[in-house]
Structures are given as structure tokens and as C-alpha cells.
Amino acid sequence: MEYLLSLVWMYIEMAYFLVLGYAFFHPRFSRRVCAILYAFSGIALCLLLYLVNNQLARQITSCLLYVVLSYSLFKGNLLRHVLVVVISFVFAGIFDTIFLYCSCTILQISPSVLLWRKLEYTATFTIEKLLLLLFAWFVFRIRMRGSIQKISAKWLLLTAIFPVVSLIMLFTVYFNYQNMSDISMGAFIFSFGLAVANIAILYMIHKMELETQREQEIQLLNQQMTIQTESIVSLERSYRAQRQATHEFQHHLQTISDLASGNQDDALHEYLQELLHNQSRRILCVNSGHPIVDAVINQKYQLAQELDIDMQIQVNDLSGIQIKLEELTVLLSNLLENALEACRKLPHDRVVQIHLLAGDALFLSVRNTTEPVHIVDDMIPTTKTQKEAHGYGLPNIKRILQGLQGEFTMQYADGWFDFAAEIPL
Amino acid sequence: MHSIVICDDDKKFGQKLLSEVRTILTQTNRQAKIHLFTALEEIPKQTLQDCDIAFLDIDFTQENYTGIDIARRLRSLNESAVIIFVTNFPEYAPEGYEVHAFRYLLKSDLSKKLASYLQQAFDHLPKVKQVFQIATAGDVITVPVSDILYMESHLHQVIVHIQKTGAKDIIQKRFYASLTKLEEELESKGFLRIHKSFLVNMQHIQKYQCSEVQLTCGVCLPASEKNYAQQKKKYLLWKGRQ
């Protein structure tokens, strides 16, 4: 019966770590697979702890196993997993101590007496484990999943120092008082202080992630402004060209009128023939019915011409699409800019193919010839020198597509980079 | 032998284009019959039906139609022709997509890009003219791949659902085969296994959602949710390559 209880408490404690994992990381697998791995890990942990006799070694082994479990079930770099697991472990240990102290105070018995009272002992530790799990659920609820951001390794390392030191101090206190029959007020205050400090660390991580997210949003806004400025310049250029075409048209009308009123039929006929043979210049190379799409693609098309890149475009009627202009602009501009940048590195065979097709959903595809590209987790390591300024291109695209509930994929094969997305309309 | 049609109201340019195409064919050791026209009315119906590659000017200044109208006429008679629009200034528009324009060739870029575009057109031709052979009881039927909507596995048989271009009726042909083996054979021809019982021609997918695929003919088929993410990615990448 005691073994069964221990197993249940162990699984509840593992659930505590699992829920905190969901609060701070993205899972690698589906919930069903996570649940199966969780069940097997519990058995493995049980067996390993059974084999380890030494108390200190047992605690360290548990902590390491939780790090391995966290890293296996969730994405993110190892240092981040170590940090979150250590803080969680420290907090769990401290909460154990505090709750035990409070229970003994309420029951007016010492911890060594509590060990012999099965009912009180069982109730105390069961309630304690469930409260721990409740705390984890509470953290999960207040954390925004979308704000799981990458914090630099430098900050993670600095932040990890306090929890690791806390863990060492906790073990020290634990192995000092385990031989005592009672928990001193000093140990209680010390534990309480450590708990508060580690919660503060967790809160700091949360704030750092929010800061990182805010920084990215600012970068995105700056990028949107730059792109919109470029679009305005391009539109202004097209507007001037249109004005010139209108002026020329008025000039032609005047000439035709003069020739007609002068009864110069032959000259008029010859003039009209010449006029008809000279193709009227098209201001925009794309006419999809959506002026912003036309402006963005036209701007990139002109750039492609200058870079000797063959840009091939397929569009249908996009006049009805309802996507926010700023999102569409950033999406298209980033994709096309990436494509042109990759193409210009090639000595020849520079091709960019674009599909923008509206139907039940908006299909967007940009393909380009390129040097070999390595894709990791739907990201391409940036080659740009100013990473802070330009590294947000592909993440921006992903953020916008995720916000629009779009699906996307990318691949490199046979000298071509393909990016394709579908956005519900 | 392939058939190439050139239609441009500018006779001088038309001749120039014909000459350049002939030179490229000689250099690449290809044979093709080239027909040169200056107006839609000059082009016989049979020539359009037999046409493999068409170079069409977009602007016909003296006429009340454009190259898009010629392309529409061509498409109504010939689904598999490769259309290359030749123009002074490009204008990518829905009409070009509607007639499945393959490329837009600027007249100013003729010498630079014609060889490459012509080669790509020849490479593309086998894909649009692909056929599939169905061995039914005592008979072998050849069906254009573009006419196949989907294949369905039923007991030990495969049912091929076919809708000929322009027709409304869907006909079924049954034969003994393994859908898995057909998937291996037809994956490169644009077929996707959306479900253990269904192999769909991606050309005819109208909508592909988590548990259902709707075809352009209106038929809805169940799709495997387990494999949805992977198969949807294949579909998106395929669509981007068309």
C-alpha cells in the first residue's frame, strides 16, 4: 500500500513538472504520445530511484531525470530546460518543507511523529502534491503560450545561477535537518525566502520573454513602415508615369484634332497608324485587381529586372481578399525579398516564380533558384550581417501566417527553394 | 513531329520569331512544323487542335480581340497546348491564369530568353500529355491522366473515376490492382494518397481540409486526419510547381 502511495505521489509530482513544461515550452509530440512517454518515464524513474540508496544521489538523479524528460518531451534549448526544471525542483522541495512545517504546526506534532500517523501522513503529502500540481496549472494558465520566445543563452546562463545555488543550499539544509526531530523556524523562513526568490526568477523569465516579443513586434512594425515607404515610392513613380502617359495622350488628341480640322487625311491616317503601332506603356506589370498586391509585386519585378532575374507570375482575381493590408504587404515583401536575395548570388539561371491565387483560400507560393539551403524547424539560418535588423524576415512570415491560421511549408530540392502557403479567406 | 503556332499582327516580328525558333530547333536537333499567322481568322481549327506550342502576341492593335481571346479559343479546342505570350510589356493578369499561360516573353528579351523558354515548353509537353493505361477484362484503355479525378480502392479492385474534358458525366472503370502500387507509380504524375482508400489527382482538388477533400467536380472524399499535415504539405508544394 505504501509503495502504491509513493507511486501515486511520484506521478503527481511528474505531472507537476509536465504541466510546467507545457507552460514554458512547445511540445514535441501530440498529447497522446506525451502521456504514453510520461507513463513509461514514471516506471523508469521508480526503478532507478529504487536502485539508488543514497538520499543526495537520489535527489540529484531525480533532478537529472526530470531534465531529460523535459528535453525529450518539449522543444527548446537544453540550458532553458535545465533552468526551468531546476527552478521547479527547488520550488517543489521548498514547498514540501513549508507544507510539512505548516501541517506539523496545525497538528501540533513533530515531523518524526507525523511519520507514524499513517492517516495524517497520507493526507498531508497527498494534499501537498495536489496543491503543487494546482500551482503548476495556475502558472500554465497565466502564461501565454504564444509568448514562448527565445531568450539569449547569455541571459539564461545568468538567470540559472540563482536556482542552481538555491538547489545546493536546499540540499545542505535538508541534510542538516533530516537528523533533527523538528523543523526549526529558521529552516522554515530560509525555505520560504528561497521559494519567493525562485518564483521571482520565474517571473523574470516571463518578463524577459514578453520583452523579446515586444522587441520583435517593434521590429515587425519598423519593417512594415519601411516596406510601406518603399511601396509609396513605387506607387509615386507609377503615378508620375501615369501622369506622363495622360499628358502624352492629351498631346496626341490635340495633334489628331489639328490634323482632322486641317483636312489632312493622309497625314492623319499616317499619324494614327504610327500611334497604333507604338504599344502603350503599361505602368504596372501585374493587374490582379488588388492595388497593394500589384504595387508590391511591381516594385519587386522592377528590382528583379535590374538584377537580371526572370520573374514569372501567376495571379487570378485578388480583388476580393480581405487580409489586412499591412500583413499582406509584409508577407509578400519578405517572401519576394528573400527570393531575390537568394537568386542574385547565382551567376546565371536566376528565376523566381510567384503564384497568388484566390479561391476558397488564398494560395501563395514563391519558388526561386538558389544555392543549397539548409532548413531547420521551418527556419533558414540568416546570412545577413545585421542579424538584429534582418533576422526577423522568416519569423515575421511565420508569425503572420500563424495569426491568419494559414498553413505553410518550405523545402529545398534540385536547386530550387519552394515556399508555399494557404490562408483561409 | 511537334506543331508550333506563331500568331502576331506585326509581320516583321512574326518572321523574326519564326526564324529564331527554326534556328533553335536546328541547334537542339528537334523537329517541328511551324505555322505563322497574323490574325485569329487565318488559323484553321485543325491547326489549333494539333498545336503543341503557341507563341501568341497579346496586343492586336487593328483587331477587336487580343492574344488572350486567341488563347481562349485554343484552350477550348486543345487543353494540352503550351501557350507563351509574346509582348512588349508584360501584364500578368487573371486572364493569363485563366488560359494557363506558360510564360510571358518580352519582345525585347527575345534573343536572351527564347531558347530557354522553348526548351522549358518542350520539357513541359510530356507532363500535360501523360496517359494512364487501364487493363480491364480483355481490354486496355488509355486515359489521359488529366481526365482521371481519383482512384478508389474497393475490395481487391481499383475504381478509376474519369471525367473527360468538357463533359459533365463521371464514368468508372474497374480493374484489379493495388492502390499502394498505383500510388508509387502515379505520385510523380500529381496523385496524392489522401486516405487508405483514395488516390486523388491533385489537378482536380478544389479544397483540402483536415478530414475532407472537395474536388472541382463537386465530389467530396474523406481524408486521413493522421496524415493530413504531411499530405497537405505535399499538395501545397505540388501546386506551387504548376
mmCIF file of all heavy atoms in Angstrom, chain A residues 178-217:
data_model
loop_
_atom_site.group_PDB
_atom_site.id
_atom_site.type_symbol
_atom_site.label_atom_id
_atom_site.label_comp_id
_atom_site.label_asym_id
_atom_site.label_seq_id
_atom_site.Cartn_x
_atom_site.Cartn_y
_atom_site.Cartn_z
ATOM 1 N N GLN A 178 17.619 16.705 8.496
ATOM 2 C CA GLN A 178 16.942 15.396 8.421
ATOM 3 C C GLN A 178 17.207 14.560 9.669
ATOM 4 O O GLN A 178 16.466 13.653 10.002
ATOM 5 C CB GLN A 178 17.347 14.641 7.165
ATOM 6 C CG GLN A 178 18.771 14.133 7.158
ATOM 7 C CD GLN A 178 19.032 13.234 5.959
ATOM 8 O OE1 GLN A 178 18.124 12.613 5.436
ATOM 9 N NE2 GLN A 178 20.279 13.146 5.534
ATOM 10 N N ASN A 179 18.312 14.908 10.366
ATOM 11 C CA ASN A 179 18.601 14.191 11.604
ATOM 12 C C ASN A 179 17.915 14.823 12.809
ATOM 13 O O ASN A 179 17.989 14.302 13.911
ATOM 14 C CB ASN A 179 20.130 14.168 11.839
ATOM 15 C CG ASN A 179 20.812 13.375 10.748
ATOM 16 O OD1 ASN A 179 20.291 12.345 10.324
ATOM 17 N ND2 ASN A 179 21.953 13.868 10.269
ATOM 18 N N MET A 180 17.280 15.937 12.613
ATOM 19 C CA MET A 180 16.582 16.593 13.728
ATOM 20 C C MET A 180 15.150 16.093 13.787
ATOM 21 O O MET A 180 14.586 15.655 12.776
ATOM 22 C CB MET A 180 16.578 18.105 13.523
ATOM 23 C CG MET A 180 17.974 18.699 13.619
ATOM 24 S SD MET A 180 18.088 20.327 12.885
ATOM 25 C CE MET A 180 16.857 21.226 13.744
ATOM 26 N N SER A 181 14.580 16.170 14.975
ATOM 27 C CA SER A 181 13.201 15.677 15.116
ATOM 28 C C SER A 181 12.188 16.745 14.744
ATOM 29 O O SER A 181 11.008 16.512 14.692
ATOM 30 C CB SER A 181 12.968 15.207 16.545
ATOM 31 O OG SER A 181 13.180 16.321 17.393
ATOM 32 N N ASP A 182 12.657 17.926 14.539
ATOM 33 C CA ASP A 182 11.726 19.018 14.284
ATOM 34 C C ASP A 182 12.308 19.952 13.220
ATOM 35 O O ASP A 182 13.511 19.984 12.988
ATOM 36 C CB ASP A 182 11.498 19.794 15.588
ATOM 37 C CG ASP A 182 10.249 20.657 15.499
ATOM 38 O OD1 ASP A 182 9.584 20.649 14.452
ATOM 39 O OD2 ASP A 182 9.946 21.351 16.492
ATOM 40 N N ILE A 183 11.395 20.716 12.577
ATOM 41 C CA ILE A 183 11.875 21.723 11.609
ATOM 42 C C ILE A 183 11.933 23.047 12.353
ATOM 43 O O ILE A 183 10.963 23.484 12.947
ATOM 44 C CB ILE A 183 10.899 21.857 10.440
ATOM 45 C CG1 ILE A 183 10.776 20.514 9.716
ATOM 46 C CG2 ILE A 183 11.359 22.931 9.461
ATOM 47 C CD1 ILE A 183 9.646 20.506 8.713
ATOM 48 N N SER A 184 13.092 23.663 12.334
ATOM 49 C CA SER A 184 13.207 24.914 13.070
ATOM 50 C C SER A 184 12.554 26.041 12.279
ATOM 51 O O SER A 184 12.384 25.950 11.061
ATOM 52 C CB SER A 184 14.671 25.243 13.314
ATOM 53 O OG SER A 184 15.242 25.621 12.081
ATOM 54 N N MET A 185 12.192 27.108 13.015
ATOM 55 C CA MET A 185 11.606 28.290 12.379
ATOM 56 C C MET A 185 12.598 28.862 11.374
ATOM 57 O O MET A 185 12.217 29.344 10.315
ATOM 58 C CB MET A 185 11.269 29.313 13.486
ATOM 59 C CG MET A 185 10.729 30.625 12.937
ATOM 60 S SD MET A 185 9.217 30.460 11.990
ATOM 61 C CE MET A 185 7.999 30.963 13.145
ATOM 62 N N GLY A 186 13.900 28.761 11.736
ATOM 63 C CA GLY A 186 14.948 29.273 10.835
ATOM 64 C C GLY A 186 14.905 28.591 9.484
ATOM 65 O O GLY A 186 14.974 29.231 8.438
ATOM 66 N N ALA A 187 14.773 27.242 9.518
ATOM 67 C CA ALA A 187 14.727 26.470 8.266
ATOM 68 C C ALA A 187 13.487 26.859 7.469
ATOM 69 O O ALA A 187 13.526 26.970 6.239
ATOM 70 C CB ALA A 187 14.709 24.978 8.560
ATOM 71 N N PHE A 188 12.383 27.076 8.185
ATOM 72 C CA PHE A 188 11.129 27.450 7.523
ATOM 73 C C PHE A 188 11.286 28.802 6.823
ATOM 74 O O PHE A 188 10.926 28.953 5.651
ATOM 75 C CB PHE A 188 9.992 27.496 8.553
ATOM 76 C CG PHE A 188 8.729 28.076 7.994
ATOM 77 C CD1 PHE A 188 7.905 27.313 7.177
ATOM 78 C CD2 PHE A 188 8.372 29.405 8.256
ATOM 79 C CE1 PHE A 188 6.735 27.850 6.647
ATOM 80 C CE2 PHE A 188 7.205 29.939 7.726
ATOM 81 C CZ PHE A 188 6.388 29.172 6.930
ATOM 82 N N ILE A 189 11.819 29.790 7.539
ATOM 83 C CA ILE A 189 11.971 31.132 6.952
ATOM 84 C C ILE A 189 12.936 31.080 5.772
ATOM 85 O O ILE A 189 12.709 31.695 4.721
ATOM 86 C CB ILE A 189 12.449 32.157 8.008
ATOM 87 C CG1 ILE A 189 11.353 32.373 9.045
ATOM 88 C CG2 ILE A 189 12.850 33.477 7.356
ATOM 89 C CD1 ILE A 189 11.786 33.194 10.253
ATOM 90 N N PHE A 190 14.015 30.312 5.961
ATOM 91 C CA PHE A 190 15.019 30.153 4.899
ATOM 92 C C PHE A 190 14.357 29.562 3.643
ATOM 93 O O PHE A 190 14.538 30.059 2.525
ATOM 94 C CB PHE A 190 16.143 29.255 5.413
ATOM 95 C CG PHE A 190 17.127 28.871 4.350
ATOM 96 C CD1 PHE A 190 18.076 29.772 3.889
ATOM 97 C CD2 PHE A 190 17.104 27.587 3.794
ATOM 98 C CE1 PHE A 190 18.981 29.416 2.915
ATOM 99 C CE2 PHE A 190 18.013 27.230 2.817
ATOM 100 C CZ PHE A 190 18.950 28.133 2.385
ATOM 101 N N SER A 191 13.579 28.510 3.839
ATOM 102 C CA SER A 191 12.900 27.847 2.704
ATOM 103 C C SER A 191 11.917 28.805 2.045
ATOM 104 O O SER A 191 11.824 28.868 0.816
ATOM 105 C CB SER A 191 12.149 26.607 3.172
ATOM 106 O OG SER A 191 13.018 25.739 3.832
ATOM 107 N N PHE A 192 11.173 29.517 2.888
ATOM 108 C CA PHE A 192 10.178 30.456 2.357
ATOM 109 C C PHE A 192 10.867 31.521 1.506
ATOM 110 O O PHE A 192 10.402 31.869 0.415
ATOM 111 C CB PHE A 192 9.414 31.102 3.527
ATOM 112 C CG PHE A 192 8.266 31.937 3.060
ATOM 113 C CD1 PHE A 192 7.082 31.349 2.636
ATOM 114 C CD2 PHE A 192 8.364 33.334 3.002
ATOM 115 C CE1 PHE A 192 6.025 32.112 2.188
ATOM 116 C CE2 PHE A 192 7.315 34.108 2.560
ATOM 117 C CZ PHE A 192 6.136 33.500 2.160
ATOM 118 N N GLY A 193 11.992 32.029 2.019
ATOM 119 C CA GLY A 193 12.753 33.039 1.279
ATOM 120 C C GLY A 193 13.234 32.523 -0.062
ATOM 121 O O GLY A 193 13.136 33.201 -1.095
ATOM 122 N N LEU A 194 13.739 31.283 -0.050
ATOM 123 C CA LEU A 194 14.222 30.681 -1.306
ATOM 124 C C LEU A 194 13.078 30.535 -2.305
ATOM 125 O O LEU A 194 13.242 30.774 -3.505
ATOM 126 C CB LEU A 194 14.818 29.299 -1.036
ATOM 127 C CG LEU A 194 16.301 29.233 -0.678
ATOM 128 C CD1 LEU A 194 16.725 27.765 -0.579
ATOM 129 C CD2 LEU A 194 17.170 29.956 -1.684
ATOM 130 N N ALA A 195 11.916 30.105 -1.779
ATOM 131 C CA ALA A 195 10.746 29.899 -2.664
ATOM 132 C C ALA A 195 10.367 31.215 -3.333
ATOM 133 O O ALA A 195 10.153 31.272 -4.549
ATOM 134 C CB ALA A 195 9.561 29.353 -1.864
ATOM 135 N N VAL A 196 10.316 32.270 -2.528
ATOM 136 C CA VAL A 196 9.928 33.590 -3.072
ATOM 137 C C VAL A 196 10.934 34.031 -4.130
ATOM 138 O O VAL A 196 10.579 34.511 -5.213
ATOM 139 C CB VAL A 196 9.824 34.622 -1.923
ATOM 140 C CG1 VAL A 196 9.756 36.028 -2.464
ATOM 141 C CG2 VAL A 196 8.610 34.316 -1.051
ATOM 142 N N ALA A 197 12.216 33.831 -3.808
ATOM 143 C CA ALA A 197 13.268 34.264 -4.743
ATOM 144 C C ALA A 197 13.180 33.489 -6.059
ATOM 145 O O ALA A 197 13.321 34.063 -7.145
ATOM 146 C CB ALA A 197 14.640 34.069 -4.110
ATOM 147 N N ASN A 198 12.924 32.186 -5.982
ATOM 148 C CA ASN A 198 12.852 31.398 -7.216
ATOM 149 C C ASN A 198 11.601 31.711 -8.020
ATOM 150 O O ASN A 198 11.606 31.683 -9.254
ATOM 151 C CB ASN A 198 12.942 29.904 -6.903
ATOM 152 C CG ASN A 198 14.383 29.476 -6.711
ATOM 153 O OD1 ASN A 198 15.124 29.299 -7.661
ATOM 154 N ND2 ASN A 198 14.812 29.373 -5.443
ATOM 155 N N ILE A 199 10.514 32.017 -7.327
ATOM 156 C CA ILE A 199 9.312 32.457 -8.056
ATOM 157 C C ILE A 199 9.620 33.769 -8.776
ATOM 158 O O ILE A 199 9.192 33.991 -9.914
ATOM 159 C CB ILE A 199 8.113 32.622 -7.105
ATOM 160 C CG1 ILE A 199 7.637 31.243 -6.644
ATOM 161 C CG2 ILE A 199 6.962 33.364 -7.788
ATOM 162 C CD1 ILE A 199 6.578 31.296 -5.561
ATOM 163 N N ALA A 200 10.396 34.609 -8.088
ATOM 164 C CA ALA A 200 10.785 35.885 -8.713
ATOM 165 C C ALA A 200 11.600 35.638 -9.982
ATOM 166 O O ALA A 200 11.445 36.336 -10.987
ATOM 167 C CB ALA A 200 11.584 36.730 -7.727
ATOM 168 N N ILE A 201 12.462 34.620 -9.949
ATOM 169 C CA ILE A 201 13.276 34.277 -11.128
ATOM 170 C C ILE A 201 12.359 33.841 -12.271
ATOM 171 O O ILE A 201 12.518 34.263 -13.419
ATOM 172 C CB ILE A 201 14.295 33.154 -10.818
ATOM 173 C CG1 ILE A 201 15.276 33.584 -9.747
ATOM 174 C CG2 ILE A 201 14.995 32.671 -12.089
ATOM 175 C CD1 ILE A 201 16.405 34.456 -10.235
ATOM 176 N N LEU A 202 11.383 32.986 -11.926
ATOM 177 C CA LEU A 202 10.433 32.518 -12.955
ATOM 178 C C LEU A 202 9.685 33.699 -13.564
ATOM 179 O O LEU A 202 9.463 33.788 -14.777
ATOM 180 C CB LEU A 202 9.410 31.554 -12.337
ATOM 181 C CG LEU A 202 9.711 30.063 -12.407
ATOM 182 C CD1 LEU A 202 8.574 29.276 -11.790
ATOM 183 C CD2 LEU A 202 9.970 29.587 -13.819
ATOM 184 N N TYR A 203 9.277 34.607 -12.696
ATOM 185 C CA TYR A 203 8.557 35.801 -13.162
ATOM 186 C C TYR A 203 9.457 36.646 -14.050
ATOM 187 O O TYR A 203 9.021 37.199 -15.073
ATOM 188 C CB TYR A 203 8.079 36.607 -11.950
ATOM 189 C CG TYR A 203 7.297 37.834 -12.328
ATOM 190 C CD1 TYR A 203 6.014 37.724 -12.863
ATOM 191 C CD2 TYR A 203 7.846 39.108 -12.182
ATOM 192 C CE1 TYR A 203 5.295 38.848 -13.235
ATOM 193 C CE2 TYR A 203 7.137 40.238 -12.554
ATOM 194 C CZ TYR A 203 5.864 40.106 -13.066
ATOM 195 O OH TYR A 203 5.158 41.222 -13.434
ATOM 196 N N MET A 204 10.747 36.706 -13.698
ATOM 197 C CA MET A 204 11.701 37.481 -14.505
ATOM 198 C C MET A 204 11.840 36.865 -15.900
ATOM 199 O O MET A 204 11.902 37.587 -16.901
ATOM 200 C CB MET A 204 13.060 37.474 -13.803
ATOM 201 C CG MET A 204 13.956 38.606 -14.250
ATOM 202 S SD MET A 204 15.461 38.689 -13.297
ATOM 203 C CE MET A 204 16.397 37.370 -13.974
ATOM 204 N N ILE A 205 11.878 35.531 -15.957
ATOM 205 C CA ILE A 205 11.968 34.850 -17.262
ATOM 206 C C ILE A 205 10.743 35.206 -18.092
ATOM 207 O O ILE A 205 10.829 35.512 -19.285
ATOM 208 C CB ILE A 205 12.065 33.316 -17.099
ATOM 209 C CG1 ILE A 205 13.372 32.944 -16.420
ATOM 210 C CG2 ILE A 205 11.935 32.599 -18.438
ATOM 211 C CD1 ILE A 205 13.456 31.481 -16.043
ATOM 212 N N HIS A 206 9.590 35.171 -17.431
ATOM 213 C CA HIS A 206 8.335 35.506 -18.119
ATOM 214 C C HIS A 206 8.407 36.928 -18.679
ATOM 215 O O HIS A 206 8.057 37.180 -19.845
ATOM 216 C CB HIS A 206 7.192 35.355 -17.110
ATOM 217 C CG HIS A 206 5.862 35.772 -17.632
ATOM 218 N ND1 HIS A 206 5.212 35.101 -18.656
ATOM 219 C CD2 HIS A 206 5.033 36.794 -17.291
ATOM 220 C CE1 HIS A 206 4.059 35.685 -18.912
ATOM 221 N NE2 HIS A 206 3.916 36.720 -18.101
ATOM 222 N N LYS A 207 8.909 37.856 -17.878
ATOM 223 C CA LYS A 207 9.004 39.260 -18.324
ATOM 224 C C LYS A 207 10.017 39.412 -19.450
ATOM 225 O O LYS A 207 9.813 40.183 -20.384
ATOM 226 C CB LYS A 207 9.431 40.152 -17.146
ATOM 227 C CG LYS A 207 8.300 40.441 -16.171
ATOM 228 C CD LYS A 207 7.078 40.958 -16.860
ATOM 229 C CE LYS A 207 6.494 42.177 -16.247
ATOM 230 N NZ LYS A 207 5.215 42.539 -16.909
ATOM 231 N N MET A 208 11.120 38.664 -19.367
ATOM 232 C CA MET A 208 12.136 38.732 -20.426
ATOM 233 C C MET A 208 11.551 38.250 -21.744
ATOM 234 O O MET A 208 11.826 38.803 -22.800
ATOM 235 C CB MET A 208 13.360 37.877 -20.053
ATOM 236 C CG MET A 208 14.325 38.611 -19.133
ATOM 237 S SD MET A 208 15.492 37.522 -18.290
ATOM 238 C CE MET A 208 16.433 36.859 -19.618
ATOM 239 N N GLU A 209 10.736 37.216 -21.663
ATOM 240 C CA GLU A 209 10.107 36.700 -22.887
ATOM 241 C C GLU A 209 9.143 37.723 -23.464
ATOM 242 O O GLU A 209 9.068 37.908 -24.677
ATOM 243 C CB GLU A 209 9.381 35.396 -22.603
ATOM 244 C CG GLU A 209 10.330 34.227 -22.427
ATOM 245 C CD GLU A 209 9.608 32.948 -22.072
ATOM 246 O OE1 GLU A 209 8.414 33.011 -21.708
ATOM 247 O OE2 GLU A 209 10.243 31.895 -22.133
ATOM 248 N N LEU A 210 8.397 38.383 -22.593
ATOM 249 C CA LEU A 210 7.476 39.426 -23.071
ATOM 250 C C LEU A 210 8.252 40.560 -23.733
ATOM 251 O O LEU A 210 7.832 41.108 -24.748
ATOM 252 C CB LEU A 210 6.647 39.975 -21.913
ATOM 253 C CG LEU A 210 5.519 39.078 -21.403
ATOM 254 C CD1 LEU A 210 4.828 39.714 -20.205
ATOM 255 C CD2 LEU A 210 4.490 38.798 -22.491
ATOM 256 N N GLU A 211 9.419 40.896 -23.137
ATOM 257 C CA GLU A 211 10.275 41.943 -23.712
ATOM 258 C C GLU A 211 10.762 41.558 -25.093
ATOM 259 O O GLU A 211 10.762 42.363 -26.021
ATOM 260 C CB GLU A 211 11.497 42.179 -22.816
ATOM 261 C CG GLU A 211 11.340 43.266 -21.783
ATOM 262 C CD GLU A 211 10.796 44.560 -22.336
ATOM 263 O OE1 GLU A 211 11.392 45.105 -23.298
ATOM 264 O OE2 GLU A 211 9.770 45.021 -21.817
ATOM 265 N N THR A 212 11.201 40.290 -25.206
ATOM 266 C CA THR A 212 11.682 39.791 -26.503
ATOM 267 C C THR A 212 10.565 39.861 -27.532
ATOM 268 O O THR A 212 10.778 40.273 -28.677
ATOM 269 C CB THR A 212 12.185 38.343 -26.379
ATOM 270 O OG1 THR A 212 13.079 38.255 -25.289
ATOM 271 C CG2 THR A 212 12.856 37.859 -27.650
ATOM 272 N N GLN A 213 9.365 39.476 -27.093
ATOM 273 C CA GLN A 213 8.223 39.509 -28.010
ATOM 274 C C GLN A 213 7.929 40.937 -28.426
ATOM 275 O O GLN A 213 7.679 41.233 -29.593
ATOM 276 C CB GLN A 213 7.001 38.902 -27.322
ATOM 277 C CG GLN A 213 5.802 38.761 -28.254
ATOM 278 C CD GLN A 213 4.572 38.283 -27.524
ATOM 279 O OE1 GLN A 213 4.612 37.944 -26.346
ATOM 280 N NE2 GLN A 213 3.457 38.263 -28.209
ATOM 281 N N ARG A 214 8.027 41.871 -27.448
ATOM 282 C CA ARG A 214 7.775 43.285 -27.761
ATOM 283 C C ARG A 214 8.806 43.809 -28.749
ATOM 284 O O ARG A 214 8.492 44.546 -29.671
ATOM 285 C CB ARG A 214 7.828 44.097 -26.469
ATOM 286 C CG ARG A 214 6.912 45.312 -26.491
ATOM 287 C CD ARG A 214 6.664 45.875 -25.130
ATOM 288 N NE ARG A 214 5.773 45.050 -24.356
ATOM 289 C CZ ARG A 214 5.954 44.754 -23.070
ATOM 290 N NH1 ARG A 214 7.007 45.198 -22.414
ATOM 291 N NH2 ARG A 214 5.101 44.007 -22.423
ATOM 292 N N GLU A 215 10.053 43.403 -28.530
ATOM 293 C CA GLU A 215 11.140 43.814 -29.453
ATOM 294 C C GLU A 215 10.846 43.355 -30.864
ATOM 295 O O GLU A 215 11.019 44.092 -31.828
ATOM 296 C CB GLU A 215 12.450 43.162 -29.016
ATOM 297 C CG GLU A 215 13.418 44.107 -28.329
ATOM 298 C CD GLU A 215 14.682 43.359 -27.935
ATOM 299 O OE1 GLU A 215 15.220 42.625 -28.777
ATOM 300 O OE2 GLU A 215 15.073 43.521 -26.775
ATOM 301 N N GLN A 216 10.407 42.103 -30.970
ATOM 302 C CA GLN A 216 10.095 41.550 -32.301
ATOM 303 C C GLN A 216 8.928 42.296 -32.926
ATOM 304 O O GLN A 216 8.916 42.535 -34.134
ATOM 305 C CB GLN A 216 9.761 40.072 -32.197
ATOM 306 C CG GLN A 216 10.993 39.218 -31.956
ATOM 307 C CD GLN A 216 10.694 37.749 -32.072
ATOM 308 O OE1 GLN A 216 9.547 37.330 -32.128
ATOM 309 N NE2 GLN A 216 11.728 36.936 -32.081
ATOM 310 N N GLU A 217 7.950 42.658 -32.100
ATOM 311 C CA GLU A 217 6.808 43.403 -32.634
ATOM 312 C C GLU A 217 7.253 44.771 -33.136
ATOM 313 O O GLU A 217 6.795 45.233 -34.173
ATOM 314 C CB GLU A 217 5.724 43.550 -31.571
ATOM 315 C CG GLU A 217 4.862 42.299 -31.414
ATOM 316 C CD GLU A 217 4.011 42.303 -30.162
ATOM 317 O OE1 GLU A 217 3.915 43.358 -29.508
ATOM 318 O OE2 GLU A 217 3.455 41.244 -29.836
#
